[in-house]
Amino acid sequence: MTRRSLQYIPFFAVFLLLAGCSPANAPIDPSKSMWDRFAVGPLANTLDWFADLMWGSYGLSILVVTIIIRLIILPLTLKQYRSSKRMQDLQPEMKKIKDKYKDDPKKQQEETMKLFQKEGVNPLAGCLPVLVQMPILIALYNAIMRNTEIGTHSFLWMQLGTKDPYYILPLLAALTTYLQQKVMSSQMNPQMQSLMFIFPILIFVMAMNFASALPLYWVYSNIFTIVQSYFLYRQPKDGSVKK
């Protein structure tokens, strides 16, 4: 597997998450499914518990659970960032290898792997944390969409169990997705940057067709990631790379 193809694994992981976001109306039944017993059920109960604490507001409950989950996976995010930074630091050496063995792809790959081994860099380290957190996010999606209590409650102008009639949430989901990618654009190659407009459009179209609870979660999650990414990827005022 080439380094370029490895760079796209996080995006394939996002597609995997979105592919798992098909309408889920089946009741949560821990007695019939291990997935429901150990993942979806506990998350649904957690949403109910926080809703009781938040004056019956599932909109606020989703916010609290989103923050908790993002904090739980924060160590994975930091590991991904450190791996990305180390790979970025090795770019000059990798370019030298590419130029030196431009007519011998096999030798180029061998020398690149030797460089990784010498520097103690695992090219998969930046991608695996993204894949690890996918089951958590898919379980949270199921907990939101299959919790019958959430669907019957309202939050602000919307009914959480139905589509946003004013398309405000889909627009916010798309906008925050774009801003999230914009903040991280310094870590993207030109091919990835070309996707900055595709994903927000995809999110907007999907959010228009889902119950409001899910795009509300996306908005919360995106805002958390924007703040987190700002502190991780921001450049110092002198233009040097943040260490």
Side-chain angles (χ1 to χ4, degrees):
M1 185 178 291
T2 65
R3 186 177 64 85
R4 176 172 292 184
S5 62
L6 288 173
Q7 291 174 328
Y8 287 93
I9 287 181
F11 291 96
F12 293 145
V14 172
F15 276 122
L16 177 62
L17 172 61
L18 296 179
C21 293
S22 56
N25 300 318
I28 300 172
D29 190 348
S31 66
K32 295 183 178 179
S33 168
M34 298 284 285
W35 174 246
D36 284 0
R37 180 183 303 176
F38 296 108
V40 180
L43 279 172
N45 292 336
T46 302
L47 287 167
D48 291 340
W49 189 75
F50 277 111
D52 290 339
L53 292 180
M54 301 287 176
W55 311 282
S57 174
Y58 276 92
L60 294 178
S61 175
I62 293 173
L63 171 61
V64 173
V65 172
T66 300
I67 292 174
I68 291 174
I69 287 185
R70 287 298 176 179
L71 290 175
I72 289 174
I73 64 179
L74 182 59
L76 296 177
T77 304
L78 294 175
K79 182 177 181 180
Q80 180 186 5
Y81 165 73
R82 287 193 291 267
S83 176
S84 175
K85 181 64 174 64
R86 294 184 71 184
M87 289 289 289
Q88 190 178 37
D89 293 340
L90 290 179
Q91 289 302 311
E93 294 298 322
M94 294 172 66
K95 188 177 185 304
K96 290 180 182 178
I97 293 174
K98 184 176 180 179
D99 293 339
K100 183 177 181 179
Y101 301 103
K102 59 183 178 181
D103 297 324
D104 190 347
K106 184 177 180 180
K107 184 66 174 177
Q108 183 183 135
Q109 187 172 9
E110 290 177 355
E111 291 300 318
T112 301
M113 293 307 298
K114 288 181 181 178
L115 176 65
F116 289 160
Q117 292 175 357
K118 177 183 176 182
E119 299 295 333
V121 173
N122 181 358
L124 286 173
C127 304
L128 290 179
V130 179
L131 297 178
V132 168
Q133 64 182 281
M134 285 303 107
I136 300 175
L137 300 182
I138 294 174
L140 178 59
Y141 158 77
N142 275 268
I144 291 173
M145 299 305 295
R146 295 169 60 193
N147 188 323
T148 55
E149 289 294 323
I150 293 178
T152 61
H153 282 72
S154 60
F155 181 66
L156 299 177
W157 68 89
M158 56 202 153
Q159 187 78 18
L160 293 177
T162 60
K163 304 173 186 177
D164 182 354
Y166 306 111
Y167 301 108
I168 296 175
L169 265 185
L171 286 171
L172 287 176
L175 177 61
T176 53
T177 298
Y178 173 78
L179 292 176
Q180 172 187 329
Q181 295 177 117
K182 187 69 174 177
V183 172
M184 299 177 63
S185 61
S186 63
Q187 301 296 311
M188 296 181 181
N189 61 27
Q191 292 87 350
M192 285 185 174
Q193 290 184 13
S194 66
L195 298 176
M196 286 182 60
F197 296 99
I198 297 176
F199 278 103
I201 294 173
L202 175 64
I203 290 294
F204 176 76
V205 172
M206 296 185 69
M208 286 195 307
N209 295 285
F210 283 116
S212 297
L214 182 59
L216 179 64
Y217 158 70
W218 283 343
V219 170
Y220 288 154
S221 182
N222 286 342
I223 292 174
F224 184 95
T225 304
I226 289 168
V227 175
Q228 170 185 276
S229 299
Y230 171 77
F231 289 105
L232 285 178
Y233 297 108
R234 65 176 175 171
Q235 300 289 336
K237 293 183 179 179
D238 60 5
S240 60
V241 178
K242 182 184 176 184
K243 299 296 184 182

